[in-house]
Amino acid sequence: DVSRVVSGSLDGTVKMWEIDEESSPKKVLPGVERHKEAITCVAVSPDNRIVASSSFDHTVLLRDTTTGEVVSSLGYKTVEANQDKYVFGYHTSPVYCVVFSP
């Protein structure tokens, strides 16, 4: 029987580990894209296909649990046009928690 544990770190990385009673934990989420600041929360979707992570960098990243690739992001962007600044995104301050609804 194998279980998985997901962790988020101060360095902005998300890691997933397979844990079983027979051997040492094994890292299984190979993703390389990280948050720009510390992670505040991680959550796994009910179907175990997506890991969501939130961060002090104002973003939420959604990763495929098989590839580790970011499949979507909800974030904060400032775009400058003709010396005016426009803010696009969902969060203008740190995101402290993320949860999936069943």
Side-chain angles (χ1 to χ4, degrees):
D1 186 29
V2 176
S3 297
R4 287 190 172 183
V5 174
V6 178
S7 63
S9 179
L10 290 174
D11 69 2
T13 60
V14 172
K15 295 184 174 142
M16 180 179 284
W17 307 88
E18 282 187 351
I19 310 286
D20 66 32
E21 296 177 12
E22 307 282 322
S23 62
S24 298
K26 175 180 147 190
K27 184 179 168 190
V28 295
L29 189 65
V32 294
E33 187 170 342
R34 61 172 51 183
H35 285 277
K36 293 179 179 148
E37 295 187 34
I39 292 174
T40 56
C41 187
V42 292
V44 180
S45 65
D47 63 5
N48 293 317
R49 295 175 54 197
I50 301 291
V51 171
S53 56
S54 59
S55 172
F56 284 116
D57 69 5
H58 307 189
T59 64
V60 173
L61 296 181
L62 304 177
R63 301 170 194 278
D64 181 294
T65 57
T66 304
T67 65
E69 296 297 316
V70 173
V71 295
S72 186
S73 65
L74 309 173
Y76 174 81
K77 293 181 182 176
T78 301
V79 177
E80 293 187 32
N82 299 328
Q83 299 179 341
D84 293 328
K85 288 189 178 180
Y86 299 92
V87 177
F88 295 96
Y90 299 95
H91 301 285
T92 57
S93 59
V95 182
Y96 290 97
C97 190
V98 62
V99 176
F100 283 95
S101 176

